[in-house]
Amino acid sequence: MGAVDQLIKKALKRADVAICVCGHRKINVDVLGYCMALFSNKKHKFTWMPNIGEADISRARSRAATYFLRKRQEDILLFIDDDIRFSEEDVTKIVDHVVEGKLICGGMYVQKGKLEKTIVLEEGDTITFSKDAKIKKCVAIATGFMAIHRSVFEVLIKAKELDGEPVLPHCFKGYDWEMYPFFDSRPVKMDDGSWIFAPEDWSFCL
């Protein structure tokens, strides 16, 4: 894309978005239908980038993000789980927030039939569901419906530990399955000294 096209896209607050559904076997046909509806979106340009056949979700998301960063040109990576119901308006909202500078934005959803938290709010904060609800800063959000700006991955692969080693090593370099472990479930020590085992999405946010 030329410099003039980039300026026009920036002025109109448009983005090129890669849709990634990570699945071990097949993608739910309902979810596929929702995704297909996005290709006629009049504001943002959506492209298809599924990752099928990887049983480990941490590795699947990390490989997808690495492929997006190194092989694709889109501005935003949009993760959608293969059991999420959503509308075009829902997607446009989170993509718009990323374009406006939030960099990582997602939406809450019902998880396995229960209304349980799919986010970690800041201490003492609460959230209310309504059509007029405003965007809210969180500690961590679920990857099942999450948009991430390319610049986030670019910063992470350049980050160094105090000893100079990279925060995220380049794993399997030179192979088709190369990846940076952006998403990696791990134990996390809490402020009160207790431990939790953070899933790959919360770990990414932390």
Side-chain angles (χ1 to χ4, degrees), residues 109-117:
Y109 48 84
V110 177
Q111 188 176 37
K112 293 182 173 39
K114 294 181 288 186
L115 280 170
E116 294 184 347
K117 286 197 310 180

Side-chain angles (χ1 to χ4, degrees), residues 2-169:
V4 174
D5 292 328
Q6 288 282 11
L7 287 172
I8 292 172
K9 189 169 71 170
K10 187 174 182 179
L12 296 175
K13 295 185 177 181
R14 291 178 176 170
D16 295 332
V17 184
I19 306 170
C20 183
V21 178
C22 293
H24 180 199
R25 293 182 176 87
K26 296 180 180 179
I27 297 173
N28 182 293
V29 68
D30 292 334
V31 173
L32 186 58
Y34 297 139
C35 290
M36 289 177 67
L38 297 174
F39 299 138
S40 59
N41 187 279
K42 291 179 171 57
K43 184 171 186 181
H44 304 296
K45 180 182 177 183
F46 291 88
T47 51
W48 186 230
M49 199 195 85
N51 186 343
I52 307 301
E54 174 60 77
D56 185 296
I57 191 60
S58 297
R59 198 161 54 218
R61 295 203 195 282
S62 294
R63 286 178 59 189
T66 302
Y67 180 80
F68 167 79
L69 181 63
R70 298 178 65 83
K71 305 292 185 180
R72 304 286 289 233
Q73 301 300 317
E74 292 90 346
D75 310 295
I76 294 169
L77 176 60
L78 173 65
F79 279 120
I80 298 175
D81 274 1
D82 65 359
D83 57 355
I84 298 294
R85 292 176 179 267
F86 61 90
S87 69
E88 185 175 346
E89 180 185 5
D90 297 329
V91 172
T92 300
K93 271 186 183 180
I94 66 171
V95 170
D96 282 349
H97 286 310
V98 172
V99 170
E100 290 163 6
K102 300 300 187 290
L103 300 184
I104 302 173
C105 187
M108 288 184 67
Y109 48 84
V110 177
Q111 188 176 37
K112 293 182 173 39
K114 294 181 288 186
L115 280 170
E116 294 184 347
K117 286 197 310 180
T118 55
I119 62 171
V120 179
L121 293 168
E122 295 188 314
E123 188 173 355
D125 203 358
T126 60
I127 193 165
T128 302
F129 286 99
S130 84
K131 289 190 175 182
D132 301 320
K134 304 298 182 185
I135 189 170
K136 183 179 284 285
K137 184 179 179 182
C138 302
V139 175
I141 57 177
T143 339
F145 195 70
M146 179 194 283
I148 309 163
H149 196 275
R150 170 177 293 275
S151 61
V152 173
F153 300 119
E154 291 173 338
V155 167
L156 287 174
I157 66 169
K158 294 175 182 175
K160 302 288 186 182
E161 300 282 10
L162 292 176
D163 60 3
E165 288 294 312
V167 170
L168 297 176

